[in-house]
Amino acid sequence: MSRELVYLLLIFALLVIPRALQRFCVPAPLTCLVFGIGVMLWLGDGAHDPVVGLLATLGISSLFLFAGLEVDLKDLRRGMWPLLVHLLIRSLTLAGVAWLGWRYGGLQWQAAGLLALALLTPSTGFIMDSLARLGLDEAERFWVSSKAIAGELLALAALFVVLQAGDPAHMALSSLVLLAMMVGLPLLFVGLGRWVAPHAPGSEFSLLVMVGLLAAYITYSLGVYYLVGAFIAGLVARLLQQRMPLLASHENLHALRLFASFFVPFYFFNAGTKVPGDALSFEALGLGVVITLVVLPLRIAVVWLQRRVLFGESFMSSLRVSLALSPTLIFTLVLAGIMRERFDAPAVLYGALLLYAALNTLLPSLVLRAPLSVDPLGKDIAHDADVAGQPPAPPPAGADRPMLIDGARPPSGQA
């Protein structure tokens, strides 16, 4: 069979079959991951393909570029105090899990920190692109997206520190490079917008993607993986929205979602091909079940208590927000790989983390009866309806009433 035909069959398998299986509430990323594991078991080291690796890099970079573009500082400021409480609790839980991994798990402190991030960091991209299908109301969607974004910002900062802290000199150099990149990216965007975009109408999307890939490569060269640079590039583009509105326009966001939805399946497939055979043991299965039974209920309970006790939400509303924040698939896969490659984490732990990620990603789909995946069209339906002249959806009840301190609105008659 020719290599070209193999690639065509792979594209069909990754883009069509996982989508078809979503009708059974099986998230598409998990199907792609299983396909990769199956190919690894079949071909062994022959499953590692540089072309698939390049497509996987495009997928993870574009996904985090899009995640950076999704950050809305106005929304974060609107819920600042509840989010600060959430981040404080998240920081304490991260520190606690990292200490347990270092003290009782026999891990280096850096590997223990990565383990804590892998277990506790939600996959913001998947969560936000699935909100429309999870049956949440407007206030619940706001808090899920805000908490996911805030948690991701904290996790990326912690990831940078943990990976660089082993060498203070290299950390200082990397910090300077990162600072220079954060100063240089706006200048690069503005320069491209002034000297290239006017002479190439419609090129804003291409410029955005290429700058995102450049930033991703810089941070990867620093040893902090692609996703940090791609996220920063997206965040910078969002902050330049006033000066360069076409850069983070609705059309560009829509195009980037389509771009990411094509390449992201290759990332999960490629991650599956890199799973070591020792990670697929009964010992890893047992450890993964134990981690899931211990960590997942605690994660859900912590968020539930925040919403229930601190902000007085109803039992079910707090539970829906907690469940929607449970998936950790991307961060778990990325950090498990880093732990394996750079800190020689045991294959059993690697396999256990994969099972944990799969189970917590399945949970919202099974409980809320909605498949969790990157859907590039889901969030454009309402916008397209408005463009077509259809009446907009009515505002939520209480939209004209004042906000409480946690951003929620008081019940009717209590404004």
Side-chain angles (χ1 to χ4, degrees):
M1 186 181 298
S2 68
R3 182 173 291 271
E4 291 80 6
L5 182 57
V6 171
Y7 286 138
L8 287 175
L9 292 175
L10 178 62
I11 292 172
F12 177 86
L14 295 181
L15 298 184
V16 177
I17 298 177
R19 299 294 182 180
L21 293 178
Q22 283 190 158
R23 63 181 299 178
F24 304 109
C25 292
V26 178
L30 293 185
T31 305
C32 298
L33 182 65
V34 171
F35 281 172
I37 294 174
V39 172
M40 180 276 297
L41 294 174
W42 177 31
L43 299 178
D45 292 338
H48 302 158
D49 186 276
V51 175
V52 175
L54 175 60
L55 297 178
T57 300
L58 290 174
I60 191 67
S61 300
S62 60
L63 184 62
F64 275 83
L65 176 64
F66 175 69
L69 284 165
E70 284 280 86
V71 176
D72 191 333
L73 294 182
K74 292 181 180 179
D75 281 347
L76 294 180
R77 284 195 295 267
R78 180 157 68 98
M80 181 176 63
W81 294 113
L83 290 177
L84 288 177
V85 173
H86 174 72
L87 291 180
L88 176 61
I89 296 173
R90 174 65 60 82
S91 299
L92 293 175
T93 55
L94 284 171
V97 172
W99 181 82
L100 290 173
W102 170 73
R103 181 68 176 81
Y104 298 103
L107 299 173
Q108 302 176 42
W109 75 267
Q110 287 175 284
L114 294 178
L115 175 63
L117 290 171
L119 292 174
L120 302 179
T121 305
S123 291
T124 304
F126 294 119
I127 291 170
M128 293 183 66
D129 280 305
S130 302
L131 287 179
R133 298 187 301 279
L134 293 180
L136 307 181
D137 61 32
E138 183 179 357
E140 291 167 350
R141 289 197 299 270
F142 168 78
W143 286 117
V144 169
S145 60
S146 298
K147 287 176 182 290
I149 289 173
E152 186 169 64
L153 290 170
L154 175 66
L156 290 173
L159 176 64
F160 177 81
V161 173
V162 169
L163 289 178
Q164 300 294 315
D167 185 347
H170 189 265
M171 182 176 182
L173 177 62
S174 298
S175 300
L176 290 175
V177 173
L178 197 63
L179 181 61
M181 188 176 74
M182 296 179 70
V183 174
L185 283 178
L187 298 177
L188 179 59
F189 275 126
V190 171
L192 291 174
R194 177 176 297 178
W195 296 313
V196 177
H199 307 288
S203 63
E204 292 81 8
F205 169 74
S206 301
L207 298 177
L208 176 64
V209 171
M210 293 313 300
V211 172
L213 292 176
L214 174 63
Y217 178 76
I218 291 174
T219 56
Y220 179 78
S221 300
L222 294 176
V224 290
Y225 210 70
Y226 298 105
L227 49 86
V228 176
F231 184 88
I232 291 175
L235 180 59
V236 169
R238 181 60 182 252
L239 294 176
L240 290 174
Q241 191 171 24
Q242 294 285 340
R243 185 163 184 172
M244 302 178 65
L246 293 180
L247 198 61
S249 64
H250 170 80
E251 290 75 15
N252 262 8
L253 287 173
H254 179 67
L256 188 57
R257 281 194 288 267
L258 289 172
F259 185 85
S261 70
F262 181 86
F263 289 105
V264 165
F266 293 95
Y267 170 77
F268 293 105
F269 175 81
N270 190 58
T273 63
K274 294 181 178 180
V275 175
D278 296 342
L280 304 177
S281 63
F282 286 108
E283 185 179 359
L285 175 64
L287 181 58
V289 170
V290 171
I291 290 176
T292 303
L293 292 177
V294 173
V295 176
L296 186 55
L298 288 176
R299 289 181 56 219
I300 294 173
V302 167
V303 178
W304 182 87
L305 284 173
Q306 289 180 52
R307 309 305 306 169
R308 181 74 171 150
V309 177
L310 297 180
F311 309 127
E313 286 186 347
S314 68
F315 178 92
M316 288 306 301
S317 178
S318 300
L319 183 60
R320 285 194 294 268
V321 171
S322 304
L323 288 172
L325 285 168
S326 62
T328 66
L329 185 60
I330 285 187
F331 265 95
T332 303
L333 286 178
V334 170
L335 298 181
I338 295 176
M339 291 171 61
R340 177 75 175 164
E341 294 170 6
R342 296 182 56 173
F343 300 101
D344 295 323
V348 170
L349 179 59
Y350 185 93
L353 289 175
L354 292 186
L355 180 61
Y356 166 76
L359 293 177
N360 67 44
T361 302
L362 275 171
L363 186 63
S365 300
L366 298 177
V367 176
L368 301 177
R369 305 300 299 171
L372 185 66
S373 68
V374 173
D375 184 353
L377 301 177
K379 291 162 53 174
D380 289 322
I381 294 174
H383 178 274
D384 294 341
D386 291 341
V387 172
Q390 298 181 14
D400 57 345
R401 286 184 264 118
M403 304 288 288
L404 296 178
I405 189 172
D406 68 336
R409 300 187 183 278
S412 301
Q414 300 181 23

